Protein backbone atom coordinates (compact mmCIF):
# COMPACT_ATOMS: atom_id res chain seq x y z
CA UNK A 1 0.00 0.00 0.00
CA UNK A 2 1.34 3.41 -0.89
CA UNK A 3 1.71 6.30 1.55
CA UNK A 4 -1.00 8.08 -0.45
CA UNK A 5 -3.53 5.33 0.33
CA UNK A 6 -2.66 5.35 4.02
CA UNK A 7 -3.07 9.11 4.26
CA UNK A 8 -6.51 8.87 2.63
CA UNK A 9 -7.91 6.98 5.63
CA UNK A 10 -9.60 9.53 7.86
CA UNK A 11 -11.19 9.16 11.29
CA UNK A 12 -14.45 7.85 9.81
CA UNK A 13 -12.64 5.25 7.68
CA UNK A 14 -10.70 4.02 10.72
CA UNK A 15 -13.94 3.83 12.73
CA UNK A 16 -15.56 1.79 9.95
CA UNK A 17 -12.56 -0.56 9.88
CA UNK A 18 -12.72 -1.03 13.65
CA UNK A 19 -16.45 -1.84 13.48
CA UNK A 20 -15.97 -4.33 10.66
CA UNK A 21 -13.12 -6.02 12.51
CA UNK A 22 -15.46 -6.47 15.48
CA UNK A 23 -18.34 -7.71 13.31
CA UNK A 24 -17.70 -8.41 9.64
CA UNK A 25 -21.42 -9.10 9.18
CA UNK A 26 -22.51 -5.64 10.34
CA UNK A 27 -25.01 -4.09 7.95
CA UNK A 28 -24.20 -0.92 6.05
CA UNK A 29 -27.05 0.77 7.92
CA UNK A 30 -25.64 -0.25 11.29
CA UNK A 31 -22.13 0.89 10.36
CA UNK A 32 -23.45 4.20 9.03
CA UNK A 33 -25.43 4.86 12.21
CA UNK A 34 -22.50 4.05 14.48
CA UNK A 35 -20.05 6.33 12.65
CA UNK A 36 -22.66 9.04 12.01
CA UNK A 37 -22.66 9.11 8.20
CA UNK A 38 -25.31 8.30 5.59
CA UNK A 39 -25.72 4.75 4.31
CA UNK A 40 -24.54 5.89 0.88
CA UNK A 41 -21.42 7.43 2.41
CA UNK A 42 -20.67 4.29 4.45
CA UNK A 43 -21.20 2.09 1.39
CA UNK A 44 -18.92 4.28 -0.75
CA UNK A 45 -16.20 4.29 1.90
CA UNK A 46 -16.31 0.50 2.38
CA UNK A 47 -16.30 -0.06 -1.39
CA UNK A 48 -13.29 2.25 -1.80
CA UNK A 49 -11.39 0.48 0.97
CA UNK A 50 -12.13 -2.89 -0.67
CA UNK A 51 -11.01 -1.61 -4.09
CA UNK A 52 -7.84 -0.07 -2.59
CA UNK A 53 -7.00 -3.35 -0.86
CA UNK A 54 -7.30 -1.87 2.64
CA UNK A 55 -10.07 -4.39 3.32
CA UNK A 56 -8.83 -7.72 2.00
CA UNK A 57 -11.98 -9.67 2.78
CA UNK A 58 -14.54 -10.57 5.38
CA UNK A 59 -14.04 -13.65 7.55
CA UNK A 60 -15.47 -15.44 10.54
CA UNK A 61 -13.58 -15.76 13.82
CA UNK A 62 -13.50 -19.50 14.49
CA UNK A 63 -13.29 -21.35 17.80
CA UNK A 64 -10.86 -23.96 16.49
CA UNK A 65 -11.44 -26.45 19.28
CA UNK A 66 -15.21 -26.45 18.70
CA UNK A 67 -14.54 -26.75 14.96
CA UNK A 68 -12.64 -30.01 15.50
CA UNK A 69 -9.17 -28.50 15.44
CA UNK A 70 -8.14 -29.16 19.03
CA UNK A 71 -4.38 -28.77 18.55
CA UNK A 72 -2.79 -25.46 17.61
CA UNK A 73 0.87 -24.56 17.34
CA UNK A 74 3.27 -21.92 16.20
CA UNK A 75 6.03 -23.46 14.14
CA UNK A 76 9.26 -21.67 13.34
CA UNK A 77 11.29 -22.64 10.28
CA UNK A 78 14.86 -22.05 9.21
CA UNK A 79 14.97 -22.12 5.42
CA UNK A 80 17.57 -22.02 2.67
CA UNK A 81 18.51 -18.44 1.84
CA UNK A 82 16.43 -16.95 -1.01
CA UNK A 83 13.91 -19.82 -0.97
CA UNK A 84 11.02 -17.89 0.64
CA UNK A 85 8.72 -17.85 -2.39
CA UNK A 86 9.18 -21.56 -3.06
CA UNK A 87 8.67 -22.49 0.60
CA UNK A 88 5.63 -20.20 0.92
CA UNK A 89 3.93 -21.86 -2.05
CA UNK A 90 4.47 -25.31 -0.53
CA UNK A 91 3.26 -24.19 2.92
CA UNK A 92 0.08 -22.74 1.40
CA UNK A 93 -0.80 -26.25 0.18
CA UNK A 94 -0.69 -27.76 3.68
CA UNK A 95 -3.86 -28.45 5.67
CA UNK A 96 -4.44 -26.40 8.80
CA UNK A 97 -2.06 -23.54 8.03
CA UNK A 98 -3.75 -20.35 9.29
CA UNK A 99 -0.94 -17.80 9.00
CA UNK A 100 2.48 -17.64 7.34
CA UNK A 101 4.99 -14.85 7.97
CA UNK A 102 8.52 -14.21 6.72
CA UNK A 103 10.31 -12.76 9.75
CA UNK A 104 13.72 -11.58 10.82
CA UNK A 105 15.62 -12.94 13.80
CA UNK A 106 16.63 -16.40 14.94
CA UNK A 107 14.35 -18.10 12.41
CA UNK A 108 12.99 -17.23 8.96
CA UNK A 109 9.34 -18.26 8.87
CA UNK A 110 6.58 -18.33 11.48
CA UNK A 111 3.50 -20.49 10.92
CA UNK A 112 0.29 -20.77 12.90
CA UNK A 113 -1.39 -24.13 12.35
CA UNK A 114 -4.58 -25.77 13.61
CA UNK A 115 -4.99 -29.56 13.46
CA UNK A 116 -7.47 -32.10 14.78
CA UNK A 117 -5.12 -33.41 17.45
CA UNK A 118 -1.46 -33.87 18.40
CA UNK A 119 -1.15 -36.89 16.12
CA UNK A 120 -2.20 -34.78 13.11
CA UNK A 121 0.15 -32.01 14.27
CA UNK A 122 3.03 -34.48 14.47
CA UNK A 123 2.22 -35.72 10.94
CA UNK A 124 2.11 -32.15 9.63
CA UNK A 125 5.45 -31.17 11.15
CA UNK A 126 7.50 -34.33 10.79
CA UNK A 127 6.21 -35.68 7.50
CA UNK A 128 4.99 -32.66 5.57
CA UNK A 129 6.89 -29.54 6.66
CA UNK A 130 10.24 -31.20 7.34
CA UNK A 131 10.07 -32.96 3.96
CA UNK A 132 10.17 -29.63 2.12
CA UNK A 133 13.73 -29.61 0.73
CA UNK A 134 14.39 -25.93 1.52
CA UNK A 135 13.38 -26.31 5.20
CA UNK A 136 16.55 -26.69 7.25
CA UNK A 137 14.91 -27.02 10.65
CA UNK A 138 11.72 -26.50 12.63
CA UNK A 139 10.70 -25.73 16.18
CA UNK A 140 7.14 -26.29 17.41
CA UNK A 141 5.44 -24.35 20.20
CA UNK A 142 2.09 -25.75 21.33
CA UNK A 143 -0.70 -23.26 21.96
CA UNK A 144 -2.48 -23.93 25.25
CA UNK A 145 -4.99 -21.10 24.98
CA UNK A 146 -5.80 -18.41 22.40
CA UNK A 147 -7.39 -15.01 22.66
CA UNK A 148 -8.14 -12.99 19.54
CA UNK A 149 -7.63 -9.27 19.90
CA UNK A 150 -10.72 -7.42 18.71
CA UNK A 151 -10.40 -3.66 18.35
CA UNK A 152 -12.27 -1.80 21.12
CA UNK A 153 -15.39 0.24 20.36
Amino acid sequence: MSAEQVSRLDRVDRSILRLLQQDGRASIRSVAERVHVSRANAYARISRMVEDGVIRGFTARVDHERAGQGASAYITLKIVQNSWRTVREQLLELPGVAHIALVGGDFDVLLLVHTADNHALRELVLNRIQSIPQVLGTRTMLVFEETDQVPPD
Side-chain angles (χ1 to χ4, degrees), residues 15-121:
S15 294
I16 290 171
L17 288 174
R18 195 169 34 258
L19 288 171
L20 291 175
Q21 285 177 296
Q22 292 169 352
D23 180 6
R25 293 177 48 181
S27 69
I28 297 289
R29 189 184 85 187
S30 157
V31 169
E33 287 173 359
R34 292 179 67 186
V35 300
H36 310 291
V37 297
S38 70
R39 282 185 291 194
N41 188 329
Y43 179 82
R45 286 170 177 268
I46 292 169
S47 294
R48 177 181 42 80
M49 288 189 282
V50 169
E51 288 174 19
D52 289 349
V54 173
I55 296 175
R56 295 185 300 179
F58 298 88
T59 63
R61 290 192 314 264
V62 175
D63 181 319
H64 296 285
E65 193 167 339
R66 289 184 182 201
Q69 297 174 314
S72 296
Y74 285 96
I75 303 168
T76 64
L77 284 68
K78 293 283 275 179
I79 62 174
V80 172
Q81 188 172 355
N82 298 321
S83 66
W84 162 241
R85 287 180 180 80
T86 302
V87 171
R88 179 184 58 201
E89 293 308 312
Q90 292 176 73
L91 294 173
L92 285 168
E93 299 295 320
L94 298 176
V97 174
H99 184 82
I100 305 170
L102 176 66
V103 297
D106 293 338
F107 46 88
D108 304 307
V109 178
L110 178 65
L111 297 176
L112 172 60
V113 299
H114 305 287
T115 61
D117 52 32
N118 283 342
H119 179 75
L121 178 61

